[in-house]
Amino acid sequence: MNARSLILSFLILASGCSGSDLSYDKAAVHGTVTVNGEPLSSGKIRFIPLVDTVSKLTVADIVDGNYEFDVENGPGVGEHRVEIISIRKTGEKVQIPDEPEGTMREVTEQVLPAIYNTSSRLTLEVKEGENEGNFDLKMKE
């Protein structure tokens, strides 16, 4: 086998071993997200697999307090950490660094406290079939 064939064979084998073809059982999940009992108008919900759960991170939109994953796009069966994110525009604009003068972007802020996203302790056990995961977030008034 010449060097070119050997390199080509190695590349074909290596590409077949990539993690992009991860196979695992997925499930459908739907639910509601409320803040002090009121539907969260918009945001994202992320399911992050915990140790011993084979899955990819999955994300769904929250619209009028509701979210849904179908089986094809759902999280893997097992325990997941849940992060809920809701961003709003502040109305303030700032200069974008390293861009021409006057190139502005609108400032946004996270509506929810870190205990529901970056420091979340929310979890959901996803089981085979249909799952419901409702989250009622509490905010100080």
Side-chain angles (χ1 to χ4, degrees):
M1 187 180 276
N2 67 30
R4 177 181 263 171
S5 297
L6 185 60
I7 291 171
L8 183 58
S9 296
F10 175 75
L11 290 174
I12 290 170
L13 283 174
S15 68
C17 297
S18 72
S20 63
D21 295 330
L22 184 62
S23 176
Y24 55 92
D25 293 329
K26 298 175 186 176
V29 182
H30 70 276
T32 61
V33 178
T34 56
V35 178
N36 295 335
E38 297 295 320
L40 181 65
S41 60
S42 66
K44 302 246 183 231
I45 188 165
R46 301 185 335 167
F47 282 61
I48 302 164
L50 293 177
V51 176
D52 297 332
T53 297
V54 179
S55 181
K56 294 180 183 176
L57 176 136
T58 51
V59 180
D61 289 327
I62 300 168
V63 179
D64 297 326
N66 297 295
Y67 73 92
E68 183 173 8
F69 294 97
D70 59 21
V71 173
E72 185 177 319
N73 298 304
V77 171
E79 188 77 16
H80 295 264
R81 185 169 150 258
V82 178
E83 293 183 351
I84 300 170
I85 300 157
S86 184
I87 306 291
R88 72 173 162 219
K89 296 177 180 179
T90 65
E92 180 184 350
K93 293 190 177 200
V94 295
Q95 171 70 39
I96 300 175
D98 301 324
E99 292 291 327
E101 186 66 33
T103 306
M104 310 293 275
R105 73 167 177 84
E106 190 159 7
V107 176
T108 59
E109 64 185 1
Q110 171 60 258
V111 175
L112 303 171
I115 61 169
Y116 298 125
N117 41 71
T118 56
S119 299
S120 177
R121 292 189 181 157
L122 299 171
T123 61
L124 184 68
E125 175 74 26
V126 175
K127 299 179 179 178
E128 290 184 27
E130 292 284 326
N131 294 266
E132 184 172 354
N134 299 320
F135 300 94
D136 185 24
L137 313 181
K138 301 297 182 196
M139 304 243 315
K140 295 179 182 177
E141 296 184 17

